[in-house]
Amino acid sequence: MTPRKLRHFRFIGRVFLISLAAGLVLLMLVAGVLWAFKDRILTSIALYVPAPQLREIPETPVVPLAGGEVAVASDTASVEEAEDIPLSVTEVVAKADDSVVSITLTNSVGKVVGKGTGFFVSSSGMLVTNRHVVDTPGATFTVTTTDGKERPATLAATDPVLDIAIMRVSGSGFTPLALGNSDTLSTGQSVVAIGYALGTFQNSVSVGVISGLSRSVVARGSNGDSEYLDAVIQTDAAINKGNSGGPLLNLKGEVVGVSVASALTSQSVGFALPINDVKQAITSVQKTGRIIRPYVGVRYTQITPEIAAERGLSVNYGVVIEEGKTGTGAAVLAGSPAAAAGIMSGDIILTFNGVKLDQAHSFASLIRQKTVGTTVTLVVLRAGVTTPYKVTLAEAPAI
């Protein structure tokens, strides 16, 4: 390369470097000016930018669980369903404890002749217990609440059909238990029993499940008396002596049954009266001061598949109207609602107001849930023909 060309390239290189340096200086000056006036610049730009379209996003509801955890619900309906989240056993007991009482019976000389359990169903002092707990002539009753206070109690009414008694305690401000729906129970459902275990240990708690529904058993008392219990709840929650009359609770703290008996020859086999059968008695005492029971006025035998096969019946459910097993007592009582409707001995009642009379739905239990004056429809099988009969329930005569 000649000296002239070399000078030419050096000149071009110096111009390029000078231009690059000048450009960098200018860029730094512009950046400095922009930084110094950034707030004014951004404000001016915002004036020409359209406001964003905002969409309201609803808050996701949060539902507390019994154990102190937190569950996220997807919608409002889930929040309402959260009310059915089961409580812990500890929470059920805490909710029910003040409502459960022990009952002590004493005779005229002050000797204790009986003990049992009851629970408040009104703030004014109405109690539910078993009839066999208080069925001691001449006895006086003392109720002991969880705070240790003893209060005299009086017997308001006893049920002539169901093993239920209603008592009253003077005072107010008592905590009643909520009554659940025993028709919605299912086998395997968890339950809690509270009672005066062995007549010694007040408000003892036992936990178990529903072992069976619509059981029929014969209960025998210590005095040798026996009674037929129809459509009762079976549970493996311990029902000890002294627990009779206490509540059987679901995991919402609602009463679903009234403890009534246990199998002496087996462990973990207890029975409770469905609370739906008891509600009518409570309402009756609240309104009239006594227990008024509706009745149809028939004697009957529940048909099972075994009885149907044995007798050669055309159906394996329902109840067959017939005389008592001893041959005494008319199949249809004279002057009864059944007699007025035209129901006869030998008829088979298949349904009660559309409910099939099988081992899960007993005739007596369905009647107990109605009130006097209610008209029901009974579908009757007679000589191979089914006919609906309208029957108006009347007050059951005193036993």
Side-chain angles (χ1 to χ4, degrees):
M1 181 179 292
T2 63
R4 184 176 180 179
K5 288 183 178 181
L6 182 60
R7 287 194 301 271
H8 179 70
F9 278 112
R10 286 177 178 174
F11 175 78
I12 292 174
R14 284 196 296 270
V15 171
F16 174 77
L17 291 175
I18 292 170
S19 298
L20 180 62
L24 290 173
V25 171
L26 181 61
L27 181 63
M28 291 176 65
L29 289 173
V30 171
V33 171
L34 291 175
W35 180 258
F37 295 96
K38 66 181 186 300
D39 292 334
R40 292 184 181 180
I41 295 172
L42 291 175
T43 301
S44 299
I45 293 173
L47 294 174
Y48 297 96
V49 176
Q53 299 297 313
L54 300 179
R55 180 172 62 89
E56 182 179 357
I57 301 176
E59 181 181 357
T60 302
V62 177
V63 184
L65 294 179
E69 304 172 45
V70 170
V72 178
S74 60
D75 51 31
T76 305
S78 298
V79 177
E80 294 173 355
E81 291 170 4
E83 295 178 0
D84 291 331
I85 295 174
L87 304 175
S88 67
V89 173
T90 303
E91 290 170 319
V92 170
V93 174
K95 187 175 181 179
D97 215 30
D98 290 342
S99 305
V100 183
V101 302
S102 60
I103 302 170
T104 303
L105 285 69
T106 54
N107 62 15
S108 58
V109 295
K111 180 181 178 181
V112 175
V113 292
K115 294 180 178 181
T117 307
F119 58 92
F120 287 112
V121 292
S122 77
S123 59
S124 59
M126 180 181 286
L127 282 171
V128 168
T129 186
N130 289 143
R131 185 183 66 236
H132 76 259
V133 168
V134 297
D135 194 16
T136 301
T140 57
F141 311 104
T142 301
V143 163
T144 305
T145 50
T146 52
D147 57 9
K149 292 182 180 179
E150 295 184 350
R151 296 174 171 85
T154 57
L155 187 59
T158 57
D159 195 317
V161 177
L162 204 61
D163 192 355
I164 286 295
I166 307 295
M167 305 184 74
R168 289 191 181 278
V169 178
S170 297
S172 61
F174 300 105
T175 305
L177 285 176
L179 305 184
N181 183 1
S182 53
D183 287 345
T184 62
L185 292 175
S186 56
T187 303
Q189 180 177 337
S190 297
V191 287
V192 178
I194 304 179
Y196 196 16
L198 306 178
T200 302
F201 306 108
Q202 186 177 13
N203 285 26
S204 295
V205 177
S206 57
V207 180
V209 299
I210 300 295
S211 305
L213 298 167
S214 296
R215 304 300 200 202
S216 295
V217 297
V218 176
R220 292 183 174 83
S222 57
N223 58 2
D225 292 341
S226 63
E227 66 175 331
Y228 178 74
L229 301 176
D230 178 58
V232 294
I233 301 164
Q234 180 187 339
T235 178
D236 67 349
I239 307 294
N240 298 299
K241 183 178 180 181
N243 280 74
S244 290
L248 185 70
L249 305 154
N250 61 19
L251 293 188
K252 290 194 288 184
E254 300 169 334
V255 182
V256 294
V258 181
S259 299
V260 68
S262 60
L264 296 179
T265 57
S266 302
Q267 293 183 344
S268 301
V269 180
F271 301 97
L273 304 170
I275 196 60
N276 284 10
D277 287 355
V278 181
K279 289 176 181 178
Q280 195 272 343
I282 297 170
T283 301
S284 180
V285 173
Q286 288 174 329
K287 290 182 177 180
T288 68
R290 60 194 182 98
I291 296 176
I292 298 174
R293 282 290 185 194
Y295 88 127
V296 170
V298 295
R299 290 184 172 87
Y300 63 89
T301 298
Q302 175 73 47
I303 298 173
T304 63
E306 294 76 18
I307 290 176
E310 179 186 326
R311 300 190 183 186
L313 301 176
S314 60
V315 292
N316 61 3
Y317 67 95
V319 296
V320 57
I321 309 304
E322 57 188 7
E323 293 182 351
K325 293 181 180 179
T326 60
T328 60
V332 180
L333 278 63
S336 67
I343 293 175
M344 303 168 59
S345 178
D347 286 347
I348 296 176
I349 302 175
L350 300 176
T351 65
F352 181 100
N353 264 7
V355 178
K356 184 177 178 180
L357 297 178
D358 53 21
Q359 294 181 65
H361 304 92
S362 84
F363 188 43
S365 178
L366 291 170
I367 294 171
R368 283 195 294 264
Q369 294 177 31
K370 299 299 181 180
T371 57
V372 172
T374 301
T375 298
V376 298
T377 301
L378 307 181
V379 173
V380 174
L381 175 64
R382 179 187 298 168
V385 178
T386 57
T387 306
Y389 286 80
K390 296 289 185 181
V391 178
T392 300
L393 304 179
E395 181 178 345
I399 297 177

